[in-house]
Amino acid sequence: MAHSSFAQGTGAQIQYDTSYDILSPVRAKHGMVSSEQVLASQVGLDVLKRGGNAVDAAVAVGFALAVVLPHAGNIGGGGFMLIHDAKSGKDIALDFRELAPALAHRDMFLDANGKIIPGSSTSTHLAVGVPGTVAGLDLALRKYGTLPLKDLIAPSIKLAEQGFEVTPYLAQLLEASRNQLGKWPSSRAIFFNGDRPLRAGEKLVQKDLANSLRLIAQHGPKVFYEGIIAQKIVAEMKNHGGMISADDMKHYKAIEREAVKGNYRGYQVVSMPPPSSGGVHIIQMLNMLEHFPIGQQGLNSAQTIHTMTEVMKLAYADRAEYLGDPEFVKVPLLGLTSKKYADELVKKIDLSRATPSAQIKPGKPLPYESDQTTHYSVADKFGNVVATTYTLNLLFGSGIVATGTGITLNNEMDDFSVKAGVPNAFGLIGGEANAVAAKKRPLSSMTPTMVLKDGKPFLVTGSPGGSRIITTTLQIILNVIDHQLNAAEATIAPRIHHQWEPDITRLERGFNVDTLELLKQKGHKFSVGRSMGRTQTIKIGEEGFEAFADPRNPDGRALGY
């Protein structure tokens, strides 16, 4: 009798439990936007609903994040955008990375004795590179968008003018940046209430920023690079010993580059070329991982983590040696991304033992961005997708608002190697290829990435997180393709990172103790640290779109219709 009731129970289960999903992504039929701030995602979604394409929405989101994600969203910084244009089938990489001013030189952050002046490359006016975001968003819109710039900036003007409520997460970041922002009257005026940073529930109103956005909406990027905004940025520099001149502003150009491409298990992977190091090494690591049955080994099993770690070490050793601004350094792109090179590299991997980093060829790890970058992904009903990663570098960049503009300025000059052999803000040592030089773009880890299946978009993703951007983005791709996870499950899986030096595997919380014991036996050293990355992932299939904003930032949201 008991036996038959059990059978009925299982029957009922089969009837009702139809899903394998542990966590469900956001699903939609016509379009999707995923960003680190729900208000910005809403701005992008509204553009898609009005009939705008993915590029229109991406431009609107870029300006909105400059208002509602002030620590990383920006018009005073720079970044990269990857576009898949459905009509032509083309994949386009836009580089609007900041540029070193014409007066910049190799020893600009050193004193008379050749020692680094503390903080000079992070929190002074010398730290600021020529901003690229406005030029980049404008180039994307002119070539690939359909709506007028003024319509796309309008919602951001309103958000800046009327203000929005500071979230607990933003309040935490403001408090963490109290000293940096508090130094400058122009920054205090916006982000402080009296003698303290704004708190959760208080309103962040940015009248000067609204005015700057209004000027860009009316006059286009010219007002930013040659008009009144440029004049105010240059005046800010002159008053505080910065280097950016009117000429530097006027001659800034965003560049359209050839995307880097690879293949992984029948999918096409499209990513950002140098001066990003990300795309090259994502493809290099996937080429190596194709040699191993990652799917069969299982998600975050000891064997999978071992394989991934060994592959990461090899790629990051190469990154240290070869990567820089392609206008200044010959980057062996074809070699690094070739399958034959990967075939040679995997011979160095011992499947039973961790190879100490010291035995992997020496080089000098280059500086990289901090976590205070942001990524957003957009897909539309026409088959276009956009992946954008942009940054101010550190939290709130230099912390300096250009007086009278409301624009927070980047501290991207710290992404150069400030002095050969001396660690930068992130403890990494600088190499020759990335030395400071006039009009040079600093190396970056930002890795907006798309995966295509038979030439059609299948996955669009990216993340902030400094040197961890590359490995975070890699793991999203593996989680979807090899482990067959949906966009949400792929996002919440615990992450690992190894960057060759220091020789430690960094882990998020949530790995099985038995797994870690097996890794120890293979000779791995690891540290469990803060969460890594905040991905924005959209997966595209026959049924439409599924997306998920990384819960590692509670303010993010994927929205679709």
Side-chain angles (χ1 to χ4, degrees):
M1 192 66 212
H3 182 81
S4 70
S5 72
F6 172 74
Q8 275 171 345
T10 30
Q13 231 174 352
I14 289 163
Q15 220 169 325
Y16 296 118
D17 291 356
T18 57
S19 170
Y20 292 94
D21 294 347
I22 289 169
L23 187 63
S24 293
V26 175
R27 293 194 165 92
K29 279 268 184 269
H30 306 293
M32 189 71 84
V33 180
S34 191
S35 89
E36 281 204 71
Q37 225 290 354
V38 64
L39 295 170
S41 296
Q42 188 61 55
V43 165
L45 183 66
D46 292 343
V47 170
L48 292 181
K49 284 181 169 170
R50 281 215 312 271
N53 70 11
V55 174
D56 297 322
V59 169
V61 171
F63 282 108
L65 287 168
V67 179
V68 298
L69 197 82
H71 56 280
N74 69 82
I75 57 174
F80 301 129
M81 181 184 281
L82 209 57
I83 301 168
H84 175 78
D85 181 54
K87 213 168 26 215
S88 62
K90 272 199 339 182
D91 300 307
I92 299 116
L94 298 184
D95 167 2
F96 51 97
R97 182 84 166 132
E98 298 89 339
L99 212 54
L103 288 173
H105 56 90
R106 176 187 290 264
D107 301 332
M108 64 187 274
F109 299 111
L110 310 183
D111 63 17
N113 303 319
K115 292 207 159 50
I116 288 184
I117 303 160
S120 58
S121 67
T122 53
S123 52
T124 71
H125 288 67
L126 287 180
V128 186
V130 183
T133 295
V134 175
L137 296 179
D138 174 67
L139 178 62
L141 185 63
R142 274 187 294 121
K143 290 197 73 172
Y144 305 101
T146 65
L147 297 175
L149 184 64
K150 62 176 192 338
D151 295 359
L152 300 175
I153 297 183
S156 304
I157 296 171
K158 199 169 157 188
L159 283 165
E161 189 106 81
Q162 297 177 2
F164 65 97
E165 209 172 279
V166 172
T167 64
Y169 182 68
L170 177 54
Q172 226 177 313
L173 298 177
L174 284 164
E175 185 52 51
S177 308
R178 174 192 279 258
N179 295 343
Q180 190 190 358
L181 293 169
K183 271 201 293 210
W184 311 102
S186 55
S187 307
R188 291 179 75 99
I190 298 167
F191 298 115
F192 275 54
N193 179 349
D195 59 354
R196 59 160 178 82
L198 290 169
R199 292 190 183 138
E202 294 180 334
K203 254 195 169 175
L204 173 54
V205 175
Q206 302 171 81
K207 295 276 190 212
D208 283 348
L209 182 58
N211 190 40
S212 292
L213 290 168
R214 195 174 285 113
L215 287 167
I216 297 166
Q218 285 162 358
H219 306 288
K222 211 172 159 103
V223 74
F224 185 89
Y225 289 101
E226 297 178 46
I228 185 74
I229 298 175
Q231 289 159 23
K232 286 180 179 173
I233 290 173
V234 171
E236 179 71 30
M237 292 292 139
K238 281 208 176 103
N239 293 338
H240 297 276
M243 283 185 174
I244 294 174
S245 69
D247 260 11
D248 289 324
M249 292 295 290
K250 186 177 171 178
H251 293 126
Y252 182 87
K253 292 272 180 295
I255 302 174
E256 192 165 313
R257 299 189 184 275
E258 194 72 33
V260 289
K261 298 185 177 183
N263 285 291
Y264 183 67
R265 307 202 198 276
Y267 293 84
Q268 296 85 52
V269 181
V270 181
S271 194
M272 200 65 209
S276 164
S277 59
V280 172
H281 297 304
I282 288 254
I283 288 165
Q284 182 185 12
M285 290 189 283
L286 288 170
N287 285 343
M288 289 188 259
L289 289 165
E290 210 165 26
H291 288 255
F292 306 99
I294 299 295
Q296 286 164 20
Q297 285 172 197
L299 175 67
N300 286 339
S301 68
Q303 197 55 47
T304 294
I305 293 172
H306 172 71
T307 309
M308 281 163 59
T309 301
E310 298 304 288
V311 160
M312 286 170 184
K313 286 180 202 169
L314 291 165
Y316 275 78
D318 278 350
R319 179 188 189 274
E321 187 80 6
Y322 299 117
L323 270 289
D325 180 347
E327 317 282 321
F328 287 74
V329 182
K330 179 135 185 49
V331 179
L333 255 183
L334 291 173
L336 289 170
T337 56
S338 85
K339 298 268 188 196
K340 285 202 170 71
Y341 180 51
D343 298 346
E344 287 308 302
L345 285 178
V346 293
K347 293 177 186 163
K348 299 180 179 182
I349 294 175
D350 180 339
L351 287 177
S352 58
R353 291 292 305 161
T355 304
S357 290
Q359 289 174 24
I360 293 169
K361 75 170 190 61
K364 298 188 174 104
L366 296 166
Y368 55 88
E369 293 90 2
S370 79
D371 291 341
Q372 303 320 319
T373 296
T374 187
H375 178 87
Y376 58 94
S377 298
V378 184
D380 67 22
K381 63 182 177 192
F382 311 110
N384 306 301
V385 299
V386 178
T388 307
T389 314
Y390 72 161
T391 188
L392 287 167
N393 195 24
L394 299 187
L395 192 60
F396 294 95
S398 60
I400 299 164
V401 169
T403 306
T405 66
I407 296 167
T408 306
L409 299 170
N410 68 79
N411 58 356
E412 217 61 71
M413 295 296 287
D414 192 64
D415 269 2
F416 286 113
S417 38
V418 170
K419 181 183 178 187
V422 176
N424 80 328
F426 306 100
L428 283 196
I429 296 185
E432 207 44 46
N434 195 37
V436 183
K439 301 183 182 181
K440 185 177 181 182
R441 292 171 193 238
L443 187 61
S444 169
S445 303
M446 294 184 283
T447 315
T449 300
M450 308 184 292
V451 178
L452 310 176
K453 182 89 175 114
D454 307 321
K456 295 264 190 301
F458 165 74
L459 190 69
V460 50
T461 192
S463 178
S467 63
R468 302 171 294 283
I469 290 175
I470 308 173
T471 49
T472 296
T473 307
L474 174 79
Q475 284 165 86
I476 293 283
I477 295 171
L478 299 178
N479 291 351
V480 171
I481 293 177
D482 288 304
H483 304 303
Q484 304 280 298
L485 298 181
N486 71 32
E489 293 161 344
T491 303
I492 60 162
R495 293 173 183 152
I496 72 162
H497 172 73
H498 201 301
Q499 61 183 44
W500 175 58
E501 291 285 359
D503 193 357
I504 283 177
T505 306
R506 188 169 154 177
L507 305 170
E508 289 185 328
R509 289 194 311 212
F511 285 88
N512 186 307
V513 181
D514 301 343
T515 304
L516 300 186
E517 191 46 51
L518 290 169
L519 286 166
K520 250 187 221 155
Q521 288 165 20
K522 287 183 188 285
H524 289 278
K525 299 192 280 288
F526 33 82
S527 71
V528 177
R530 289 178 315 192
S531 66
M532 291 184 265
R534 296 184 297 280
T535 54
Q536 306 298 327
T537 301
I538 303 174
K539 190 175 163 215
I540 301 145
E542 295 300 312
E543 303 295 298
F545 306 98
E546 58 171 67
F548 202 65
D550 201 323
R552 289 167 183 81
N553 168 5
D555 291 351
R557 200 78 79 252
L559 298 175
Y561 80 112

